[in-house]
Amino acid sequence: MVTASTEFQVFVKPIGAACNLDCRYCYYLEKQQLYPKDAPLRMPEDLLEDYIAQHIAACPIPTVLFSWHGGEPTLLGADYFRRIVEIQRRHRISGREIVNDLQTNGTLLDEEWCRFLAAEGFYVGLSLDGPRELHDAYRVSKGGKPSHAQAINGLQLLQRYGIHCDVLCVVHAGNVGHPLAVYRFFKEAGIRHLVFLPLVKRAEDGGVTAETVAAQAYGAFLCAVFDEWVREDIGRINVLNFEEAARPEQGAEHALCVFRPTCGELPVLEHNGDFYSCDHFVDPEHRLGNIRDRSLIEVLEDPAQRAFGQAKRDSLPHSCRKCAVLDCCNGGCPKDRFVGAPDGESGANYLCAGYKAFFTHARPAMRRLASYVQTGRSIEGFAKLIRSADAKGSTAGRNDPCPCGSGRKYKKCCMAKLSSGAR
């Protein structure tokens, strides 16, 4: 049995770009133009089974992850996904665990859906942009009607059935100025897993759309949320952006592809079997073939796909290579590299100023956290340590001179005293 040389994830679009919403910032609805208008949008069962069997066989690790995306995959109905689970069971290899995650806008979820998702252990990603007025600014139905109430109903059903739910909040021009209102809304709603995704959408003139978040504003948004999270909610609420900021300090690789040095391990499978290099590069130039003609292994190991992933590192501007927070962002997603660098070189990331502000702001606390967790103490106690340092007016890093003026390093002086008090 041939397996892939590296771990991989596939974004599967069993209904393509079809969606019941018409979000004003959506980048995927336009992908419908790649296919004939009268072509079926439902992935046929023979193709579905072929893909599932290949994915299981190609997976190089014991846990086999399937990621179902859209469009809006719940338009297919729960019975379609029951069939998916049946196919997975038939092709499961002994000793392998199969895990499914489903990305949804939540508006079509009902009791039947949630009974199924809970019974089969699905992980769910729910798109929600904060309080009603901020969410409904852009996330609307085909008729322009708000979707917040339906999305909240979906969230509450997921919570009632005990389904693991990650909330994906798009940070855009409409909500970026309200970081604490957005974050506290999620806290009050009982959200325990969050990710803040910056909206960057190109305009026809080469600039960005009005909905696109300003880079500096995105950085300020993350900094404001981080300051509250690290003092009140660390260990209780998982914010993926902050977990990624901690990884370099802990000697760990990034989990999010946008922050890894290279990419290319996350191809897309469209409803008709077409493979593309990435969810943000679904276009003729990045089409890798069709599953009816090429196997998943062939696509994953294709030199063109390898080159696509390696180009992320190779195309970094020189200013990025010298940046103090390069290990935190690695130049960000290639789709956002369309502005000039400070030295005039092309290919800098549109979000650079925001990334740099946030990672620079978070780094001192993340360094202290890395040392703290090595002691085996509860991560919740770190918030108390930070608050104690606030009260004493200390913002020093562990290897900085102690603010008390003793001449010793902070870790050997007041940090040790604060740490013992945080036990």
Side-chain angles (χ1 to χ4, degrees), residues 216-343:
Q216 295 88 342
Y218 179 61
F221 179 100
L222 291 179
C223 289
V225 175
F226 178 83
D227 285 346
E228 178 157 321
W229 172 83
V230 77
R231 288 164 174 79
E232 297 183 11
D233 305 311
I234 188 170
R236 188 173 66 91
I237 297 177
N238 298 315
V239 181
L240 188 54
N241 309 73
F242 304 156
E243 292 177 8
E244 291 296 310
R247 286 178 176 273
E249 311 307 326
Q250 297 169 354
E253 293 183 357
H254 284 291
L256 279 178
C257 61
V258 295
F259 296 138
R260 294 177 193 158
T262 61
C263 56
E265 290 85 33
L266 213 166
V268 165
L269 179 64
E270 260 289 348
H271 66 290
N272 72 331
D274 283 345
F275 284 114
Y276 293 91
S277 291
C278 169
D279 194 45
H280 291 287
F281 291 85
V282 175
D283 54 49
E285 180 184 353
H286 294 91
R287 182 180 178 275
L288 298 166
N290 189 285
I291 197 171
R292 297 191 187 278
D293 306 314
R294 305 191 71 196
S295 69
L296 176 59
I297 281 285
E298 287 180 298
V299 168
L300 293 170
E301 307 293 341
D302 190 318
Q305 183 68 351
R306 295 295 184 195
F308 170 82
Q310 189 64 36
K312 178 179 180 180
R313 172 184 284 159
D314 295 344
S315 63
L316 269 178
H318 286 90
S319 58
C320 287
R321 299 175 193 273
K322 298 182 292 183
C323 181
V325 294
L326 173 62
D327 58 340
C328 294
C329 79
N330 286 295
C333 183
K335 80 175 180 67
D336 298 330
R337 294 182 182 177
F338 56 85
V339 299
D343 61 2

Side-chain angles (χ1 to χ4, degrees), residues 181-203:
V182 171
Y183 180 57
R184 290 168 184 172
F185 169 81
F186 290 133
K187 285 204 293 185
E188 292 169 6
I191 303 301
R192 293 297 174 263
H193 303 275
L194 260 173
V195 58
F196 294 108
L197 302 177
L199 174 65
V200 181
K201 189 174 181 183
R202 302 294 300 276

Side-chain angles (χ1 to χ4, degrees), residues 231 364-365 368 389-390 392-398 400 403 410:
R231 288 164 174 79
R368 278 194 268 174
D390 287 344
K392 293 181 179 294
S394 173
T395 58
R398 58 182 276 103
D400 293 335
Y410 181 54

